[in-house]
Amino acid sequence: MNPRHIAYDRHGSGRPVVLLHGLGDRRQCWRAVSPRLTDDYEVLSVDLPGFGASPAPERDEPYDVHSLVRVIREFCELHGLENPHLAGNSLGGSIALELGAQGVAGSVTVFSPAGFSDHLARWGMRTVGLMANLATRIPMPVKERLADTPPARAAARIALRGDPSSPEAKATRFGVRGLEPGAPYVRMVRRIADYDFTPRPIPCPVTIAWGDRDRTLLPSSAEHAHQRVPNARMVSLLGSGHIPMADDPRTVAEHIRWTCRAADRGARTAPRG
């Protein structure tokens, strides 16, 4: 994976904030959050390799959480982003936490990060991976029609939105373009099911937020996250589901800004040697 091939948007000025999306998503998921940060920060919304406009790795290349951590670190180095603030959702949250543990982040703010699920939830993710593999055998026109049926749209709203009945959730549907043989989503979902965040210190301010209506990575995972990242500020996002940037972008931006400011204050008051 070449960091030069990563697609991104860059707006604002100031200390950089890098936004990382979840599995199957793309950088546009931050479009309601980013403008709330650009007055004080330079904001980079990134397409992870294999999603959005960033090309997928070759079939014989490593493709898991740790390989994505490496390429995002190389992306930051390539663009001169020294100790950037990092924020991520789901898969992107795991990448941000791993980079924070490596000591290369100014702060870390994550929303429902992967890597903290119990055995039952992991079984559910492996089941999703199995279903995704089976879906690769269905012709694309059939999958498109199935995704637009009322039961499939209702399931998407329930899985992804905090309030499935809200007008804003009406357009939610499962993307099926990623359900093709060898597609990035199909390759990655089983890797996430097996991924665990290893407990270790993160030497920067950390906020871990969880939607109390997250039906994809259950809010009970927040307890495991608190045990493994004891210095984290833990937050419950009332009324939000697995993608809080869609449910409550204002609150998401506020928590990113809070963590960034905590780091910036610490940097200003640190003793100089």
Side-chain angles (χ1 to χ4, degrees):
M1 289 183 283
N2 190 332
R4 296 182 183 277
H5 297 159
I6 290 179
Y8 65 97
D9 294 325
R10 193 170 193 166
H11 301 287
S13 61
R15 189 171 179 180
V17 177
V18 179
L19 305 178
L20 305 169
H21 63 76
L23 178 65
D25 215 332
R26 54 183 183 162
R27 67 185 188 274
Q28 285 82 1
C29 70
W30 298 99
R31 63 181 176 268
V33 175
S34 179
R36 302 172 187 272
L37 303 171
T38 52
D39 285 349
D40 299 302
Y41 299 98
E42 181 181 33
V43 181
L44 295 89
S45 305
V46 172
D47 276 339
L48 295 174
F51 302 99
S54 294
E58 299 296 332
R59 296 285 186 94
D60 59 347
E61 285 188 87
Y63 192 42
D64 55 20
V65 174
H66 298 292
S67 65
L68 293 180
V69 170
R70 286 193 296 274
V71 76
I72 294 301
R73 181 168 183 168
E74 291 169 357
F75 169 86
C76 292
E77 293 169 353
L78 174 67
H79 293 282
L81 309 178
E82 185 177 353
N83 290 113
H85 298 298
L86 300 175
N89 172 229
S90 195
L91 168 62
S94 303
I95 296 168
L97 286 170
E98 291 285 351
L99 288 169
Q102 292 179 13
V104 298
S107 73
V108 174
T109 310
V110 295
F111 304 90
S112 299
F116 300 99
S117 298
D118 58 22
H119 294 297
L120 181 60
R122 291 183 188 282
W123 177 84
M125 284 188 282
R126 292 188 181 99
T127 300
V128 170
L130 176 62
M131 293 174 64
N133 271 290
L134 292 174
T136 63
R137 305 176 187 179
I138 301 173
M140 184 57 68
V142 176
K143 284 191 287 225
E144 290 281 9
R145 288 196 297 271
L146 289 173
D148 275 327
T149 60
R153 282 186 170 273
R157 291 194 297 271
I158 291 170
L160 300 175
R161 301 303 298 265
D163 181 2
S165 64
S166 70
E168 295 78 12
K170 185 176 181 180
T172 304
R173 71 190 291 274
F174 288 125
V176 296
R177 289 290 170 184
L179 299 178
E180 298 176 294
Y185 179 90
V186 176
R187 293 169 62 186
M188 183 62 72
V189 66
R190 58 183 178 176
R191 302 292 187 185
I192 294 178
D194 294 332
Y195 166 73
D196 252 330
F197 181 82
T198 303
R200 59 203 188 279
I202 298 181
C204 67
V206 180
T207 294
I208 299 178
W210 227 286
D212 69 339
R213 296 184 182 180
D214 191 335
R215 304 175 188 91
T216 301
L217 295 178
L218 300 180
S220 57
S221 299
E223 182 177 343
H224 302 293
H226 183 51
Q227 293 169 355
R228 296 186 206 175
V229 192
N231 65 308
R233 166 180 171 256
M234 303 299 298
V235 175
S236 180
L237 302 175
L238 301 181
S240 285
H242 187 60
I243 309 176
M245 303 90 72
D247 289 323
D248 192 353
R250 180 182 63 82
T251 299
V252 166
E254 285 176 356
H255 287 303
I256 295 173
R257 187 181 290 276
W258 189 98
T259 319
C260 291
R261 285 177 173 170
D264 294 340
R265 285 195 300 271
R268 287 195 297 268
T269 58
R272 297 180 183 272

